[in-house]
C-alpha cells in the first residue's frame, strides 16, 4: 500500500513516460484469445495503450489516480487482464497489488526490475514470464529516447517460454 498519497501523485522522474504505440502493438499476439476486457489502471487521456487495444477489438476499462480511481483502492467489477505501464518508482507496490488481484497482467517495466532479492523471490514464487523487445522504446515525453531497456513482465498468460525475445 502507498503510505503517502502526495508522494505517489508527485512521483519520480521516470514515472511520466507515456507508452508508444509500438510497445503495445508488439504484445498483441501474446494476449490470450479468451481476453475480452482489459483494465488499464494508469490510463491518461489519449493513452496509446487504450487506443491500440480498442482498435484491436478489446473493451478497455481505464482508470487513473488523478481521476479519483486509485489502483490501490479501486478494482473494476469485471476484467480479464491488466495491461499497464506503471510509475517506475512504485513498481514494487504495483506488482504486489497486481498479484493480490490474482488476475493475469502485463506490465511494461525497466529490465532492471529483475534485480533485487525481494523481487527475485516474488518473481520465482509467482512464475513471472517476460517479453523482451529487441530495442528500446522512445517514450512520449519532453525528451525523445530512453537510456534504459523496458520489457513486458507478465503473469498467468501461460506463454510457451519464460523469456521471449520479440523482434520489434
Amino acid at each position: 500500500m502507498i503510505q503517502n498519497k502526495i508522494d505517489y501523485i508527485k512521483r519520480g522522474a521516470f514515472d511520466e513516460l507515456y507508452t508508444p504505440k509500438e510497445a503495445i502493438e508488439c504484445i498483441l499476439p501474446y494476449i490470450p484469445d479468451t481476453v475480452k476486457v482489459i483494465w488499464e489502471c494508469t490510463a491518461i487521456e489519449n493513452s496509446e495503450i487504450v487506443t491500440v487495444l480498442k482498435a484491436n477489438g478489446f473493451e478497455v476499462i481505464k482508470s487513473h489516480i488523478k481521476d479519483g480511481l486509485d489502483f490501490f483502492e479501486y478494482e473494476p467489477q469485471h476484467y480479464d487482464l491488466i495491461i499497464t505501464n506503471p510509475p517506475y518508482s512504485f513498481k514494487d507496490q504495483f506488482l504486489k497489488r497486481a498479484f493480490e488481484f490474482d488476475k493475469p497482467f502485463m506490465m511494461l517495466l525497466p529490465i532492471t526490475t529483475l534485480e533485487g532479492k525481494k523481487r527475485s523471490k516474488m518473481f520465482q514464487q509467482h512464475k513471472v514470464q517476460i517479453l523482451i523487445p529487441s530495442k528500446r522504446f522512445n517514450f512520449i515525453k519532453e525528451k525523445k529516447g530512453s537510456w534504459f531497456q523496458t520489457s513486458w513482465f507478465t503473469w498467468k498468460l501461460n506463454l510457451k517460454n519464460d523469456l521471449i525475445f520479440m523482434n520489434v
Side-chain angles (χ1 to χ4, degrees), residues 10 13 22 32 40 54-55 65 78 84 87 91 95 110 119 125 148 164 166:
K10 287 183 182 175
E22 67 181 338
E40 209 299 48
K54 282 185 174 183
I65 191 170
H78 174 74
T84 193
K91 64 184 166 283
L95 285 162
R119 280 193 297 268
Q125 175 187 353
F148 57 92
I164 296 177
M166 303 182 299

Side-chain angles (χ1 to χ4, degrees), residues 21 24-25 28 47-60:
K21 186 177 182 179
I24 301 105
E25 290 174 336
L28 292 172
S47 162
E48 285 289 351
I49 293 176
V50 173
T51 302
V52 171
L53 293 173
K54 282 185 174 183
N56 282 276
F58 296 101
E59 179 184 338
V60 181

Side-chain angles (χ1 to χ4, degrees), residues 13-26:
F14 297 103
D15 287 349
E16 293 293 329
L17 298 175
Y18 304 115
T19 314
K21 186 177 182 179
E22 67 181 338
I24 301 105
E25 290 174 336
C26 72

Side-chain angles (χ1 to χ4, degrees), residues 29-156:
Y30 301 97
I31 299 173
D33 293 338
T34 57
V35 170
K36 304 296 180 222
V37 182
I38 297 172
W39 177 23
E40 209 299 48
C41 58
T42 61
I44 59 163
E45 190 171 334
N46 301 319
S47 162
E48 285 289 351
I49 293 176
V50 173
T51 302
V52 171
L53 293 173
K54 282 185 174 183
N56 282 276
F58 296 101
E59 179 184 338
V60 181
I61 299 168
K62 62 182 199 156
S63 64
H64 195 284
I65 191 170
K66 290 180 181 175
D67 298 325
L69 298 172
D70 183 349
F71 178 68
F72 298 97
E73 297 174 357
Y74 168 76
E75 180 183 14
Q77 285 190 322
H78 174 74
Y79 61 96
D80 304 310
L81 172 68
I82 297 170
I83 295 180
T84 193
N85 177 9
Y88 296 156
S89 64
F90 292 97
K91 64 184 166 283
D92 291 342
Q93 295 92 329
F94 268 78
L95 285 162
K96 184 179 182 294
R97 177 81 166 147
F99 287 127
E100 289 170 358
F101 290 136
D102 198 30
K103 294 273 198 161
F105 67 76
M106 301 175 91
M107 286 192 195
L108 186 62
L109 298 167
I111 194 69
T112 56
T113 302
L114 286 170
E115 299 172 353
K117 288 181 182 180
K118 285 172 67 175
R119 280 193 297 268
S120 178
K121 185 178 177 180
M122 178 173 47
F123 292 154
Q124 287 176 44
Q125 175 187 353
H126 293 288
K127 299 184 179 3
V128 170
Q129 297 180 308
I130 303 173
L131 299 169
I132 304 170
S134 58
K135 68 177 218 166
R136 294 177 182 167
F137 295 119
N138 287 322
F139 289 94
I140 302 163
K141 192 182 171 169
E142 294 155 13
K143 298 177 185 174
K144 288 261 183 194
S146 174
W147 58 267
F148 57 92
Q149 175 72 31
T150 54
S151 295
W152 288 97
F153 286 68
T154 73
W155 188 52
K156 287 193 161 189

